Amino acid sequence: MDSSKSKDSTNSGLQETNSDINDEEKNDLCPGFKDADAFVKYGLGAVLSATKASAGLPQTGDEYDFYRSFPGFQEFCESQGDKLLHCMSQIMQHHGCRSRMRDRNKLTGLEERFDLVVDSNDVILERVGILLDEADGVNRNQQPVMPAEFQPPKIVVSSWNRMGSSSGSRSETFRLLQAKNIARPQMKFKEKVDNSNTPFIPKIFIKPNAVKPLPSCKLLLTLMFFPSVRPEDLDVPAALADFIHQQRTQEHVEDMFAHPYQYELDHLTIQESVLSKPEPQMYKPLTETKCSFIDTLDDLVALNEKLCKLSEFAVDLEHHSYRSFLGLTCLIQISSREEDFIIDAIELRSELYILNEAFTDPAIVKVFHGADSDIEWLQRDFGLYVVNLFDTHQASRALNLARHSLDQLLKHFCNVNSEKRYQLADWRIRPLPDEMVQYARMDTHYLLYIYDCVRVQLLDFNHGQPGLLQSVWNKSKDISLKKYTKPIFTEESYLELQRKQKRSFNTQQLTAFRLLFAWRDKLARQEDESTGFTLPTHMMNKISEELPKEPQGIIACCNPVPPLVRQQVNELHLLVQQAREMPLLKVRKDGCQNDLQHCSPDGKLDTLIRLIILLILNSASFLKELETQNDHESLSVAQMKARRIIECFENPFRMYLPSSDVHISKNAKFDPSSKIFEVIKELHSSIYIQTYLCCPPNYMFECGGKKRERVASEVGESTPKPSKKQMKSAEKPQKTEPPPKDSFKPFDYSQSDLKVFAGTKSKDNTQFDPNRQAQGFKKKKTARGQKSNSGAGNRSMSYMAGKSDRGFRHNWPKR
Ligand code: AMP
Ligand code: MN
Ligand code: ZN
């Protein structure tokens, strides 16, 4: 493989393209500046010095607290802070984003502000993407064209992505390599992608290096239905389908969904040799290293044989998520001490399981950097697992290095300046341009040397004791135990996204949002597109907010119009119409819809108090009783107290309770009042109260104990609206007598899992959790304070350092 493509020649080519663009852009685009380039240079310079200045501020913690004790410093911080917030609000307003930055509660508002910034970034970046496309002459309204022959990928270079010379070094050009009319690799897949709304079943059907064999039913089923085909999709005799169904619904299910190498990983012992201090083995220079592109079965088999003889090798993956529902792995890079290999993971998708022989061999160390996503992608696409993983990202954390990204490690240990230019490139492009191959190769080429170096440092750091190194091995093992979970659509999924956005929708808007969300999920699965491609969230918000009367109005909410929206605009119009038929119920000013979490600025305390009250009240009939009972004397002391407290709050289910002055349309298919029935029915369970009020409804699926059957339902399959009669009886359930006064027992909250307040699940929950992907009602914070994103329907175009919205939830380890 030719690795010596001259960088200079590439760059000069780019500059030409650049100047062409600039000529067109020159006229009055940026008043006061010669051209867009000059403006960008100026802007980047300003951003850079602002960043530098902010890095120079006292660090959070003791240092900051110390400075804070000086009134002058405090005042300065406050005035600057206000100025910045004002400035940010203005930018957001300019882009039509929500921008209430300043009037947030100082203590609780930080997170909300952060959310606002993330949302606004999404909107702005998405718009940037759109405009770049337009500038590039790309009409996104077109369906992807399948070229008869391969067309060379288009290189998009615009002035904005040129780094200013202020960085000191020679100016570098960031490139977005995009191939617009690329053939969908999915077309070539031998096994259809399983986007069905069913939990992921491990793809493995042969288990090399097994200590414990694969469960027999899994073997049977995977053999019969590999690759993860649903029996209901197959033309199999009813008896067989029944059998499979039984298998799936009985205890075998647990086995079937378990991590196939759980046992082996639980019993993995770390070899003495990797716990002792190594002599770092220098990497070979790139130019002297053979690099092979593997895209045939024969080469793959040969590679596997080679790998099986090694004691360690390094691995990395490249991935694509925009034009696929679940995402797809495009490349696997592997480096030994001697050679580099780039595997075409699209071409060899169905054959890659072969590598399990080397990947699960406990005698071979597999070195990754930030393997969290890689481990999941390997499972999802190839049924590949890793036994004996060492994650250099975990090592970097344990060493407390300043930064944990791969490029930092490369700089630190190898003095190599890596370029991140292709990190977000479209890795589906084939044939892969040599520059991209070279880029991909850098991700693993130096990794074994880094593995040596960090082991030395981990031992030195700990005065020769293996404890710290051991902890990195253990953390790495935990990562290899991660299981891929598919995003599951539930009737409540939309609420999670809606909550996160904290928009205040009225019932019609919320219904529209729900219907659009379901439409988008269904279509994205069907067409194998990401939800972000199908209908970006900000467009979905706009349609929901405006509830256009005409199909044309829906089109007007989208710029540019996503192809699938254009195609199905009439269906969308019907959904909006359906939403408009909803009774218009008022919602509280603060946007409270149906949960307590966001009802007040001091949400948590408020929630806690309400929760306690509700736990005391413990049943809907009792609640009802309390509300209607006038005879105070007949209440016990506890009940009186509860009553007094509850009078201070609004009933959180108010909007779901039937009200005599509200007309509920009989035609409304998605009537929120249908919730009355459900809510009251379930209110008897205090667990339900806990989970419903404090967790996204999905949470119930795993911690409520009761599995809900509606999980897999889609548009139109929602719970039938109860008749008015039903509602009446639901208001006052006949079966449940109000508890006799003297037997009233307040709920023992010592038994409740208070972790729910923090929005985190109890860690020891080992139950299978098909919704894990779809959760994230409370954003998880990584150790460095970054938020990882989540939510099946929540892809966006923000590429925050260490975070991505675009695919499913991953904690992007920084490269
Ligand atoms: P890496 O491990 O850095 O080579 O990244 C592997 C894959 O993760 C890339 O091919 C991208 O698809 C994806 N990725 C990495 N970083 C980001 C990011 N910041 N945002 C979105 N996707 C990312
Ligand atoms: Mn990686
Ligand atoms: Zn990579």
Side-chain angles (χ1 to χ4, degrees), residues 316-318 333 374 406 423 427 439-440 443-444 815:
D316 186 44
L317 270 56
E318 300 306 327
Q333 304 99 286
D374 299 343
L406 179 60
Q423 191 171 41
W427 288 100
Y439 171 92
D443 279 352
T444 53
R815 264 185 31 85

Side-chain angles (χ1 to χ4, degrees), residues 383-618:
L384 277 174
Y385 294 84
V386 179
V387 176
N388 205 1
L389 166 72
F390 186 92
D391 190 328
T392 51
H393 179 246
Q394 293 304 327
S396 168
R397 300 189 83 96
L399 284 172
N400 229 342
L401 299 182
R403 299 256 159 96
H404 310 305
S405 60
L406 179 60
D407 46 329
Q408 288 297 318
L409 294 190
L410 283 171
K411 180 104 193 80
H412 186 76
F413 292 109
C414 312
N415 201 20
V416 165
N417 282 315
S418 68
E419 299 167 56
K420 297 170 93 169
R421 336 190 269 164
Y422 292 118
Q423 191 171 41
L424 302 174
D426 191 333
W427 288 100
R428 301 172 303 163
I429 298 169
R430 296 292 181 276
L432 204 60
D434 191 50
E435 281 172 281
M436 285 174 76
V437 172
Q438 296 312 321
Y439 171 92
R441 169 184 186 196
M442 299 266 289
D443 279 352
T444 53
H445 181 79
Y446 303 96
L447 213 51
L448 289 179
Y449 174 69
I450 293 176
Y451 161 65
D452 294 342
C453 295
V454 293
R455 275 186 299 150
V456 170
Q457 289 205 350
L458 284 164
L459 287 168
D460 288 350
F461 204 82
N462 213 30
H463 314 293
Q465 296 303 305
L468 198 59
L469 180 52
Q470 183 94 44
S471 79
V472 174
W473 282 108
N474 287 338
K475 289 227 168 78
S476 304
K477 183 159 87 180
D478 287 345
I479 294 173
S480 53
L481 274 166
K482 276 185 81 166
K483 286 196 313 185
Y484 171 70
T485 48
K486 227 204 270 187
I488 295 292
F489 172 88
T490 72
E491 262 183 56
E492 286 92 3
S493 306
Y494 77 102
L495 278 175
E496 204 179 304
L497 176 58
Q498 204 274 332
R499 267 195 201 112
K500 222 194 93 218
Q501 308 195 104
K502 302 186 183 91
R503 269 167 204 269
S504 45
F505 280 155
N506 63 32
T507 40
Q508 293 187 347
Q509 292 168 327
L510 189 61
T511 307
F513 187 80
R514 175 175 48 155
L515 296 175
L516 292 172
F517 185 94
W519 171 87
R520 171 172 97 161
D521 181 273
K522 192 175 173 188
L523 198 64
R525 286 176 196 269
Q526 194 180 305
E527 300 293 317
D528 199 12
E529 297 286 5
S530 67
T531 48
F533 173 83
T534 309
L535 173 59
T537 301
H538 73 274
M539 295 185 188
M540 194 159 80
N541 284 330
K542 188 126 191 349
I543 301 171
S544 307
E545 245 156 36
E546 305 209 343
L547 296 170
K549 288 205 175 94
E550 308 293 332
Q552 208 43 46
I554 293 176
I555 299 286
C557 287
C558 311
N559 182 22
V561 189
L564 293 169
V565 168
R566 188 178 291 280
Q567 216 178 64
Q568 299 218 0
V569 68
N570 290 331
E571 281 81 345
L572 287 172
H573 180 232
L574 287 177
L575 296 180
V576 174
Q577 263 183 341
Q578 196 179 328
R580 293 181 77 95
E581 280 170 20
M582 292 297 296
L584 197 56
L585 297 186
K586 274 188 194 156
V587 287
R588 287 171 43 164
K589 270 193 212 120
D590 59 8
C592 178
Q593 301 287 339
N594 54 356
D595 71 326
L596 296 174
Q597 184 66 21
H598 305 113
C599 286
S600 85
D602 294 314
K604 278 178 194 152
L605 184 60
D606 196 5
T607 307
L608 184 66
I609 297 169
R610 285 165 189 245
L611 181 77
I612 291 169
I613 294 160
L614 283 163
L615 289 176
I616 296 169
L617 299 178
N618 212 7

Side-chain angles (χ1 to χ4, degrees), residues 757-796:
F757 296 121
T760 48
K761 305 183 292 179
S762 29
K763 250 201 163 161
D764 49 1
N765 185 353
T766 49
Q767 214 176 328
F768 173 68
D769 169 15
N771 284 325
R772 200 177 306 150
Q773 291 275 357
Q775 281 185 18
F777 123 98
K778 182 98 187 175
K779 287 176 183 172
K780 195 175 139 200
K781 277 192 175 164
T782 62
R784 292 172 47 233
Q786 292 156 345
K787 296 188 174 195
S788 79
N789 228 313
S790 55
N794 176 34
R795 292 135 192 228
S796 80

Side-chain angles (χ1 to χ4, degrees), residues 315-321 328 330-331 333 369-371 373-374 377 406 420 422-425 427 439-440 443 796-807 810 812-815:
V315 186
D316 186 44
L317 270 56
E318 300 306 327
H319 185 261
H320 177 87
S321 58
L328 43 103
C330 302
L331 282 192
Q333 304 99 286
H369 180 84
S373 311
D374 299 343
W377 295 337
L406 179 60
K420 297 170 93 169
Y422 292 118
Q423 191 171 41
L424 302 174
W427 288 100
Y439 171 92
D443 279 352
S796 80
M797 311 237 325
S798 270
Y799 293 115
M800 299 186 45
K803 168 220 157 182
S804 168
D805 241 341
R806 194 156 184 168
H810 299 293
W812 300 116
K814 290 221 5 204
R815 264 185 31 85

